[in-house]
Amino acid sequence: MSEFLASAGISAEEYQFTDGSGLSRATLVSPTAITKLLAHMNQSPHHEEWLNLLPIGGEDGTLGSRFAGHPEAHLVRAKTGTLDHVKAISGYAETPAYGRVAFSLLVNNFEEPGAGVTKAIDELVLALLQ
């Protein structure tokens, strides 16, 4: 795993894997590392298969009810994650100016109600489309 991540430009300081499940709270990955991985996979020969694994904004998976009513929601392909006091979304936004842009937003230790955090995250993702 470390060799693959290094080939994607991700240094060992940008992650800490505790076990193979990825579910341990001791597993840490920076948003920069996730974004680098997404950019790397977008350039790989398997980029279409990779992209097809990600839910489409406003249409399916964990994004089926996100970005409701936004006409450009389908331009977001991403995965979400949630734990107590943790919310995350990482993926791609298809932008008119820059094409496909990789992004990763991770929010930890918030006191705001979770719905407010999700709303703020969604607004940031939609802003990427502009």
Side-chain angles (χ1 to χ4, degrees), residues 24 35 50:
S24 170
T35 303
W50 173 257

Side-chain angles (χ1 to χ4, degrees), residues 54-126:
L54 301 175
I56 300 168
E59 292 185 23
D60 62 359
T62 57
L63 296 183
S65 62
R66 304 276 288 263
F67 316 112
H70 195 280
E72 296 174 326
H74 67 281
L75 298 175
V76 176
R77 303 287 300 251
K79 291 291 279 183
T80 62
T82 303
L83 295 169
D84 288 341
H85 302 286
V86 178
K87 294 215 178 258
I89 186 169
S90 299
Y92 304 98
E94 296 288 340
T95 70
Y98 301 104
R100 186 174 297 149
V101 174
F103 68 89
S104 183
L105 301 169
L106 310 178
V107 181
N108 294 307
N109 298 322
F110 53 84
E111 295 182 18
E112 174 86 15
V117 174
T118 299
K119 183 177 185 290
I121 288 171
D122 288 356
E123 288 172 0
L124 287 169
V125 171
L126 290 172

